[in-house]
Amino acid sequence: MLGVVSAPFDVLAEPRRRQILELLRQRPRLVGELTTELGVSQPGVSKHLRVLREAGLVGVRQDAQRRWYELRLGPLRELDAWLHPYRMLWDDALDDLEKHLETMPDRTEG
Amino acid sequence: MLGVVSAPFDVLAEPRRRQILELLRQRPRLVGELTTELGVSQPGVSKHLRVLREAGLVGVRQDAQRRWYELRLGPLRELDAWLHPYRMLWDDALDDLEKHLETMPDRTEG
DNA sequence: CGGCTATATAACCGCAAGAGCATGTACTGT
DNA sequence: ACAGTACATGCTCTTGCGGTTATATAGCCG
């Protein structure tokens, strides 16, 4: 194991899976809806949903034959946590830039 | 095109490439150093570095035969931007929880 | 219970990506 | 100029993944 953050990265590398998440960000959806909106075959969507499910990125609620898929935030928070040390770096860079600008004479190019 | 955020996701899906970024987060490194620390063949490292370079995630500074690879933050900021709407969702969830707790009577189980 | 709807699973195909090895290239010091 | 160092590139092989079609499963309605 290379860390729990591996899963989200790997899973989200797929553009269609990110697309699915974008759709689920608005509201839960049926597999059929996703199939229509993505323009992919139903088995294709189901396969992506399985991957997303196993990574904990989505959850399912069953209603008769229908399955409502909904967003789950946990793995995305892990991703955010992974990103955190890097975010600190660019915050620092921004601080440095601000300090730099404060030190600079008020000058504009020709 | 599916959005400029595709590249970072795709590139960072590789565990070794994330490992490389972690190392470069501390300080710039030579290819040889990375080879040693990752336990991968030198061509392997070079190939990953090429991918990272083309995605703008690292930059190179040449010094004689040596190449100092260093972190570049741009694509990571795009990743952060992609994450932003989701982050808002869990901030909301946290707000809701706080409000909920405020409304609750001060009660402990057991 | 029979046919229909909604979704999952299986089997297969094609491609792209990663690993390893061999080799090319660029710069160095003496 | 030569031998050595540091890195990149090309090639081949294999594996994994996404896509599709066909089929299984489960629940509904009449």
Side-chain angles (χ1 to χ4, degrees):
Chain A
M1 281 259 288
L2 281 160
V4 73
V5 82
S6 287
F9 266 116
D10 206 42
V11 169
L12 294 177
E14 248 305 308
R16 296 196 195 283
R17 289 198 282 260
R18 288 200 303 276
Q19 235 179 312
I20 290 176
L21 283 202
E22 304 276 335
L23 289 168
L24 295 185
R25 187 151 53 83
Q26 305 163 8
R27 53 181 172 82
R29 310 259 183 169
L30 296 173
V31 178
E33 296 181 59
L34 295 172
T35 299
T36 304
E37 306 220 39
L38 297 185
V40 187
S41 70
Q42 175 264 312
V45 173
S46 281
K47 235 178 143 189
H48 283 307
L49 286 171
R50 179 192 175 97
V51 175
L52 287 164
R53 228 188 309 132
E54 288 174 348
L57 279 157
V58 304
V60 207
R61 201 164 44 82
Q62 188 159 357
D63 162 37
Q65 319 104 315
R66 307 180 167 181
R67 313 276 170 106
W68 292 98
Y69 275 87
E70 61 189 11
L71 187 59
R72 295 235 184 273
L73 296 175
L76 292 175
R77 302 182 70 154
E78 288 163 15
L79 217 166
D80 192 61
W82 181 90
L83 210 48
H84 188 246
Y86 298 95
R87 188 159 41 230
M88 286 179 55
L89 289 182
W90 71 69
D91 285 348
D92 288 355
L94 200 60
D95 290 351
D96 291 353
L97 176 62
E98 281 168 359
K99 275 175 192 159
H100 186 63
L101 289 178
E102 280 166 14
T103 321
M104 291 283 285
D106 185 13
R107 172 195 154 199
T108 35
E109 298 267 352
Chain B
M1 281 259 286
L2 282 159
V4 73
V5 81
S6 286
F9 266 117
D10 205 43
V11 169
L12 294 177
E14 249 302 311
R16 295 193 198 286
R17 289 199 282 259
R18 287 200 302 276
Q19 236 178 314
I20 290 177
L21 284 202
E22 305 275 335
L23 289 168
L24 295 185
R25 187 151 54 83
Q26 306 164 9
R27 54 180 173 82
R29 311 259 182 167
L30 297 172
V31 179
E33 296 182 59
L34 295 172
T35 299
T36 305
E37 305 220 40
L38 297 185
V40 187
S41 70
Q42 174 265 312
V45 173
S46 281
K47 228 177 147 192
H48 283 306
L49 286 172
R50 179 191 176 97
V51 175
L52 287 165
R53 227 188 311 133
E54 288 175 349
L57 279 157
V58 304
V60 207
R61 201 165 43 83
Q62 188 159 356
D63 161 36
Q65 320 103 314
R66 307 180 168 181
R67 314 275 169 105
W68 292 98
Y69 276 85
E70 61 188 11
L71 186 60
R72 294 234 184 273
L73 296 175
L76 292 176
R77 302 182 70 155
E78 288 163 16
L79 217 166
D80 192 62
W82 181 90
L83 210 49
H84 189 247
Y86 298 95
R87 188 160 41 231
M88 285 179 56
L89 289 182
W90 70 68
D91 285 348
D92 288 356
L94 200 61
D95 291 350
D96 291 353
L97 176 63
E98 280 168 0
K99 275 175 192 160
H100 186 64
L101 289 178
E102 280 167 15
T103 321
M104 292 281 284
D106 185 14
R107 171 195 156 199
T108 35
E109 299 265 354

